[in-house]
Amino acid sequence: MINNDYNRSLSTSSPLQANNARQQTTTNDKTHLFLNNGLVDSKEVNNGIMTLVQQLLSLLPKGGQTRPDRTPTLQLTSEQEAGLKNLLGFSNEAISLKVLDRQRDKTLSAGDVVIVSGGITGGEITRHTLTQKDIDQLNGKTDLPADFVASRAKWDAATSDGQTASYTAQSSCFCPEDYTRPMNITEQNGRIVDATYADTGEAVPNYIRDGLLTMNERFDQLQDAYLSGAERIDATYDPQLGYPSSVYIDQSFMMADEEISYSIKDLELG
C-alpha cells in the first residue's frame, strides 16, 4: 500500500504544481515572442539605416569634390580694367580682377561676374555681377538725370561773374566736430572768400577752409558721381535757384566711411 500510494503521488501532480507549470510555459512563450519580434524590429531598423545612408551618399558629388567652374574668363584691356576698378570703388587699391564670361560672348556684358582679389592674403575680396547700367557706364553711355541738368541750368542763369553767394552749409561725416559744425560761407568768382562758424562767428581754420567746395564744384562733384556710377545718390535742389540743398553720395557700398553728405540753406545772392 505504501508503495502504491507513493507511486501514485509521483505520477499525479498537485493542482498547485500544474498551475506553476502552465505559468512557466506561458512565460517561455512570451519570451520567445519578444525575442522574435525584437529580431524582426532590429532588421527593419538596420534596413532603414542602410537605405538612408545610400540616399545621403547619392546626394554627394562623385569623388567627394565639387566640380570646378569652367566658365571662360575675359582678357581685359587696360582701359576696361581701369573702368571696372573705378566702377567697383577700387581705383586706388592694389587689387587684381578676373571676369567670368557668363554670357560666353567674349565681351563685357550684363550678367558677367567680376572677381576682385588682393589684400594681405591675395585671396578673393568680393565679386560683382555686372548690370546693364554698369555696362552703359563703362561704355560712356550714362546720361545725367534731368533734375540735375535743369537745376544746374537754373543756377547758371541766376548767377553771374562778380556776384557773391552767401549761405550756411553743414557737412556730415566720420570726422572731427570742427568739420561738421554749421558754417556761414561766402563765395565770389568761383572762390571761397569768407567762412565762419555759424554758432560762434569764429573763422574756420585754413586747413578746413581750403577743402571747402564752391557751388560749381559741388555740381561737378555730383556730376562725377553720376557718371562714375555711384551706388547711391540722393540730391534735392532749390526750386528757384537750383543749388543742391541736400546731398548724399555713396560711391560704393563695399567701402566704409567714404560717403559724402551735406545740406545748404539760407542762400542769398548779392
Side-chain angles (χ1 to χ4, degrees):
M1 292 294 294
I2 294 175
N3 291 335
N4 291 335
D5 292 339
Y6 176 74
N7 290 333
R8 284 194 299 270
S9 67
L10 292 177
S11 62
T12 304
S13 299
S14 67
L16 179 60
Q17 290 174 331
N19 183 56
N20 290 338
R22 286 193 298 272
Q23 290 180 352
Q24 182 64 37
T25 299
T26 302
T27 301
N28 290 338
D29 292 341
K30 290 182 177 179
T31 300
H32 290 305
L33 180 62
F34 173 79
L35 291 175
N36 289 335
N37 289 341
L39 183 60
V40 173
D41 291 343
S42 177
K43 289 181 179 179
E44 292 179 351
V45 170
N46 287 337
N47 290 337
I49 292 175
M50 291 301 297
T51 300
L52 179 61
V53 170
Q54 291 174 353
Q55 291 175 347
L56 291 175
L57 290 175
S58 67
L59 296 177
L60 295 175
K62 293 182 179 180
Q65 297 180 352
T66 58
R67 294 181 179 179
D69 190 342
R70 300 187 183 279
T71 304
T73 59
L74 292 175
Q75 187 70 33
L76 300 175
T77 66
S78 57
E79 291 79 8
Q80 288 174 326
E81 185 170 345
L84 286 171
K85 286 183 177 180
N86 186 56
L87 172 71
L88 299 177
F90 291 97
S91 55
N92 297 321
E93 305 293 333
I95 53 97
S96 61
L97 301 178
K98 181 172 72 172
V99 178
L100 302 179
D101 187 13
R102 296 292 192 194
Q103 305 305 313
R104 299 180 184 274
D105 56 4
K106 298 181 180 181
T107 185
L108 277 175
S109 54
D112 292 345
V113 177
V114 183
I115 300 176
V116 182
S117 301
I120 297 176
T121 63
E124 180 177 328
I125 299 174
T126 186
R127 56 178 59 197
H128 173 76
T129 301
L130 294 173
T131 64
Q132 189 57 50
K133 178 182 177 181
D134 296 332
I135 300 301
D136 290 342
Q137 177 188 328
L138 291 170
N139 294 332
K141 296 181 180 179
T142 302
D143 295 326
L144 293 171
D147 60 344
F148 170 83
V149 175
S151 296
R152 184 155 201 174
K154 284 182 182 180
W155 175 253
D156 290 340
T159 57
S160 59
D161 292 340
Q163 190 176 29
T164 60
S166 300
Y167 50 87
T168 300
Q170 184 173 15
S171 298
S172 176
C173 60
F174 295 96
C175 45
E177 182 182 1
D178 284 347
Y179 288 83
T180 60
R181 292 165 60 187
M183 302 177 190
N184 291 330
I185 298 173
T186 301
E187 62 176 79
Q188 185 178 31
N189 293 330
R191 294 176 55 251
I192 303 294
V193 295
D194 189 46
T196 59
Y197 286 114
D199 53 353
T200 64
E202 62 182 313
V204 175
N206 287 336
Y207 66 88
I208 297 178
R209 175 173 164 169
D210 291 343
L212 297 178
L213 301 181
T214 64
M215 199 63 70
N216 283 331
E217 288 172 334
R218 293 181 188 274
F219 275 111
D220 291 340
Q221 184 184 63
L222 270 168
Q223 179 170 307
D224 290 342
Y226 283 119
L227 295 180
S228 65
E231 298 275 8
R232 177 182 172 185
I233 303 175
D234 297 329
T236 303
Y237 305 94
D238 181 79
Q240 282 76 41
L241 299 177
Y243 65 87
S245 57
S246 177
V247 169
Y248 178 86
I249 302 173
D250 189 350
Q251 188 67 38
S252 173
F253 293 153
M254 296 182 292
M255 300 179 65
D257 303 342
E258 45 74 47
E259 299 86 354
I260 298 170
S261 178
Y262 63 83
S263 62
I264 295 175
K265 62 181 182 179
D266 301 332
L267 187 143
E268 294 181 359
L269 297 177

